[in-house]
Amino acid sequence: MADQRIQKVINTEISYIQIHQAGFEETNDINDYILNAGDLQKSIGNIAGVIGVCKRIVIQSMAASAETASGVLISGINPEQEKSVTSINDKIIDGAYFEGIKRNPAVIGKKLAEKLNLRIRSKFVITVQDLQNNITSGAFRVAGIYSTDNSVFDETNVFVRYSDLQKLTNFPAGAAHEIAININKGEELPAISEAVKKVAGDKLSIKIWKELRPEMNYLTEAMDLYMYIFIVIILLALLFGIINTMLMVVMERTKEIGMLMAIGMNKIKIFSMIVLESVMLSLTGGIVGIVIGAIASKYGETHPIDLSAWAQGYQQLGYDAFVYTQLDPSMLVDITLLVILTGVIAAVYPAYKALRNDPADALRIE
Amino acid sequence: MNVIEIKGLTKIYNTSEVIVKAVNGIDINFEKGEFTAIVGPSGSGKTTFLNMLGGLDKPTSGKVIIGGVDVWKLSSRQLIDFRMNNIGFVFQSYNLIPVLTAGENVEFIMHLQGKPKKERKQRTKDLLEAVGIGNRINARPSKLSGGQQQRVAVARALASKPEFILADEPTANLDSTATNSLLELMSKMNKKYNTTFIFATHDQRVIDKAHRIVTIEDGKILSDECFERD
């Protein structure tokens, strides 16, 4: 669920890497722009593993309809280039992605459309500060309405064409506040990030998604921690279950163990026998559980768990109401090893009890 | 030649209420190839005596010397190995491992001894044929009668090629036909392998077959008689 949320945030909202003028993220000052953003964009596009680069003008502004107004973050984008970095174009639920409106088209979120009471082709006014610190306004028309899983994002983000916003704010041609980069494989992020730093130089701020949205990283770490807590609880239950079962086994077989000791089975062999039985017991259950879990997980990869009854609540938190499961093969190996370890630990006390048997006493049991 | 020498063997059980002298200073020797019955009423100390003889129950005092080795001076690990290589046990309730077949039960002790697989298989087959149930080698104990299970137990006891076999009430759970048959078998094994057999019993049919009868009462030897049998 957390991985799903992170992947959606990367794909829809932030991309893998972003470049800003140092300090822009803190101040959002319109004058903190990257002057040669166009050239830099081309250079970064040549780095192996990079599948999309786009530049953006990003300004805090006010969007106002005839009825009401709302503070928004307006992004001036190149619609075609943006497609290679984020998936807003796939989230359009009404109208079209920058089509159907010739002059000043805008794409807005569903939540904002509801708030400002805007429909397709509705006109609204965006008020921004230009480079000379003058307040300026422009009229835009809604070309498309998008809906992501994050209703807060939908309420606060408006997309317009780069050229339209550039004109409105007297922005230098080719300059941008933000360069967003999409890559082919998440595992290549550290290497690509280094390559981008070499191309961009050390004066610009280059951040990967974990730095851009640290709470997302904390989310991953927290979910991993929760998962390990759950695993520990389950393994503890398994541990006590096996101890109980093996103690019963040892008690029921006191006479047999006594006989084995009498005929010459030494303590190491008896200890090993109990441990092996315990491991076999836990592995049998473990393997059955892992197979059932893997099948269920594989099924869940294509058949999501439907939480749409609580969709509104989830969207407030930025989560999808349909949760897809994910199977991590390394986790299966880890769990199998932990189950074996649990089996060994669980066998120690029953095996100790077995070894405490006196063969003469054990053989007297009827 | 004495296989077993017992000197001043004593076992005292200290309970909170009373001190019980289960075995009270027994001195006795057993020779190679003997077929001896230890007889006496219930509670006379037969089983305790046999357990101390077999290295299962530690005596309070006294010595058990088998083939020159003072058994109770061995470490627990040495004692286990000693039991495995020198003593065969036949128990009243057979004590076969229920999940193993008759053949596997016999083979098991040879496995513990580290005998090669081929030798184990051959000896198992020979022993089960010798005790008359070669055709039940793959049967589990639950599929065998009481008499057949006790035959498997005898084969198991012989499997490790022990110096002597201790049998505690081996016929107590058997009917008369099975008892006679088992006694014939043990007598035959005694002659065939020259293995010393020592029984703890109060079964008259066993007593009638024994070449030597040692009577114990209150932990002491009352009589020790030898007989000529066929």
Side-chain angles (χ1 to χ4, degrees):
Chain A
M1 196 170 178
D3 288 344
Q4 199 175 319
R5 163 82 179 119
I6 288 163
Q7 205 54 49
K8 289 209 169 183
V9 167
I10 291 170
N11 291 340
T12 315
E13 301 173 24
I14 56 172
S15 69
Y16 278 97
I17 304 170
Q18 285 187 4
I19 305 173
H20 301 99
Q21 193 62 258
F24 173 77
E25 288 163 280
E26 289 77 37
T27 61
N28 276 318
D29 188 338
I30 190 169
N31 290 298
D32 284 342
Y33 54 81
I34 305 164
L35 187 60
N36 59 342
D39 299 336
L40 193 54
Q41 184 186 3
K42 281 179 194 162
S43 305
I44 291 167
N46 293 329
I47 295 171
V50 172
I51 55 169
V53 190
C54 68
K55 62 178 191 293
R56 298 169 184 155
I57 301 170
V58 183
I59 306 172
Q60 298 280 358
S61 65
M62 183 68 75
S65 67
E67 295 173 22
T68 185
S70 180
V72 295
L73 191 71
I74 184 160
S75 297
I77 59 168
N78 179 321
E80 284 310 307
Q81 287 174 3
E82 191 70 27
K83 281 182 187 175
S84 64
V85 178
T86 57
S87 57
I88 290 295
N89 58 308
D90 293 331
K91 307 287 180 187
I92 300 294
I93 56 165
D94 198 3
Y97 182 69
F98 290 101
E99 286 173 14
I101 306 287
K102 283 187 180 171
R103 195 163 174 270
N104 286 357
V107 170
I108 65 169
K110 184 185 168 198
K111 195 84 177 172
L112 184 65
E114 287 168 1
K115 190 174 180 184
L116 299 181
N117 198 16
L118 297 173
R119 286 188 287 257
I120 297 300
R121 305 191 71 80
S122 293
K123 193 196 267 185
F124 67 103
V125 174
I126 287 174
T127 304
V128 294
Q129 191 181 18
D130 68 11
L131 280 178
Q132 288 74 41
N133 291 332
N134 299 317
I135 301 297
T136 180
S137 299
F140 289 80
R141 278 187 191 275
V142 178
I145 296 173
Y146 67 86
S147 174
T148 68
D149 301 318
N150 185 348
S151 58
V152 177
F153 181 84
D154 294 357
E155 191 179 340
T156 55
N157 281 273
V158 172
F159 295 90
V160 299
R161 287 191 303 218
Y162 176 89
S163 52
D164 297 339
L165 197 57
Q166 186 202 355
K167 270 185 227 163
L168 186 66
T169 55
N170 298 319
F171 216 71
H177 290 121
E178 185 172 283
I179 296 172
I181 302 162
N182 191 16
I183 64 171
N184 195 20
K185 290 175 187 168
E187 308 90 75
E188 294 173 353
L189 182 58
I192 293 172
S193 173
E194 282 305 310
V196 169
K197 279 177 187 168
K198 278 185 188 165
V199 171
D202 53 7
K203 287 188 179 172
L204 297 176
S205 160
I206 297 148
K207 289 185 175 175
I208 61 170
W209 68 268
K210 287 180 183 177
E211 296 162 318
L212 291 163
R213 297 284 288 272
E215 76 278 10
M216 285 290 126
N217 194 33
Y218 297 149
L219 182 68
T220 320
E221 287 173 2
M223 289 304 272
D224 284 348
L225 182 67
Y226 292 148
M227 195 174 66
Y228 280 109
I229 290 170
F230 279 127
I231 288 172
V232 167
I233 291 168
I234 290 166
L235 288 178
L236 273 177
L238 177 68
L239 183 78
F240 286 110
I242 296 172
I243 289 174
N244 185 44
T245 306
M246 290 311 295
L247 275 176
M248 292 297 290
V249 166
V250 167
M251 272 181 62
E252 282 172 4
R253 286 164 55 193
T254 301
K255 194 167 185 176
E256 184 184 317
I257 291 166
M259 182 275 294
L260 291 172
M261 286 171 146
I263 66 169
M265 197 164 177
N266 63 36
K267 290 185 174 182
I268 294 169
K269 282 179 178 159
I270 288 179
F271 188 87
S272 307
M273 180 183 80
I274 305 286
V275 170
L276 196 65
E277 282 185 26
S278 172
V279 169
M280 294 297 280
L281 180 75
S282 47
L283 259 188
T284 308
I287 287 170
V288 170
I290 284 167
V291 168
I292 292 171
I295 291 169
S297 184
K298 272 282 166 198
Y299 181 80
E301 282 179 9
T302 49
H303 299 76
I305 301 164
D306 184 358
L307 302 173
S308 53
W310 303 277
Q312 207 172 3
Y314 277 103
Q315 283 182 356
Q316 289 282 345
L317 298 168
Y319 284 93
D320 194 347
F322 291 91
V323 179
Y324 290 86
T325 57
Q326 200 177 17
L327 186 63
D328 179 3
S330 67
M331 181 65 85
L332 295 184
V333 177
D334 291 349
I335 297 286
T336 308
L337 292 176
L338 281 171
V339 164
I340 293 172
L341 183 67
T342 308
V344 172
I345 294 169
V348 171
Y349 182 63
Y352 170 76
K353 291 279 281 182
L355 293 182
R356 298 263 297 169
N357 279 336
D358 179 67
D361 291 339
L363 286 165
R364 280 190 199 106
I365 294 171
E366 289 302 322
Chain B
M1 185 192 129
N2 291 333
V3 174
I4 305 167
E5 293 173 60
I6 291 166
K7 294 175 183 170
L9 201 64
T10 304
K11 180 73 181 180
I12 300 172
Y13 290 106
N14 263 322
T15 64
S16 55
E17 291 167 2
V18 68
I19 294 171
V20 179
K21 282 190 176 178
V23 174
N24 191 2
I26 288 181
D27 295 296
I28 192 169
N29 296 332
F30 296 96
E31 289 180 14
K32 178 87 177 156
E34 274 191 12
F35 201 72
T36 304
I38 312 289
V39 301
S42 292
S44 58
K46 303 188 295 292
T47 298
T48 307
F49 173 68
L50 222 57
N51 283 342
M52 289 192 289
L53 189 55
L56 296 176
D57 209 355
K58 192 175 171 69
T60 309
S61 63
K63 285 182 179 179
V64 176
I65 299 166
I66 299 172
V69 177
D70 189 341
V71 170
W72 288 105
K73 282 197 171 165
L74 297 174
S75 68
S76 78
R77 192 164 184 170
Q78 286 171 325
L79 185 58
I80 288 170
D81 285 344
F82 186 84
R83 280 204 301 260
M84 179 170 67
N85 294 312
N86 295 281
I87 309 170
F89 292 94
V90 178
F91 305 101
Q92 180 180 335
S93 48
Y94 330 128
N95 287 354
L96 300 177
I97 301 169
V99 293
L100 301 184
T101 63
E104 287 163 345
N105 266 286
V106 175
E107 195 183 335
F108 184 74
I109 193 163
M110 290 185 277
H111 187 79
L112 292 177
Q113 287 178 311
K115 297 266 169 69
K117 189 175 179 181
K118 199 175 170 187
E119 186 187 331
R120 293 196 318 250
K121 294 282 175 198
Q122 188 57 50
R123 185 159 172 79
T124 300
K125 193 166 168 270
D126 292 347
L127 281 168
L128 284 176
E129 274 169 11
V131 298
I133 50 167
N135 58 336
R136 306 306 311 272
I137 190 165
N138 292 319
R140 289 190 197 284
S142 59
K143 301 288 176 194
L144 300 173
S145 68
Q148 286 174 324
Q149 286 188 58
Q150 200 59 301
R151 281 163 180 263
V152 176
V154 172
R156 179 179 66 186
L158 287 164
S160 62
K161 297 183 181 170
E163 288 292 318
F164 65 101
I165 288 177
L166 300 177
D168 188 10
E169 308 273 8
T171 56
N173 290 342
L174 302 181
D175 60 29
S176 57
T177 313
T179 298
N180 289 333
S181 168
L182 185 77
L183 288 170
E184 283 297 329
L185 168 73
M186 290 206 271
S187 178
K188 204 169 104 189
M189 296 295 118
N190 170 245
K191 284 173 190 154
K192 185 174 178 181
Y193 298 109
N194 198 28
T195 307
T196 309
F197 276 76
I198 301 172
F199 303 90
T201 187
H202 44 55
D203 186 334
Q204 192 56 46
R205 294 163 300 188
V206 180
I207 296 166
D208 290 345
K209 281 273 179 189
H211 300 172
R212 182 181 175 188
I213 298 169
V214 178
T215 307
I216 293 182
E217 201 167 311
D218 297 331
K220 288 180 179 173
I221 294 175
L222 274 189
S223 65
D224 184 355
E225 298 165 288
C226 293
F227 300 90
E228 286 294 321
R229 310 273 195 206
D230 292 334

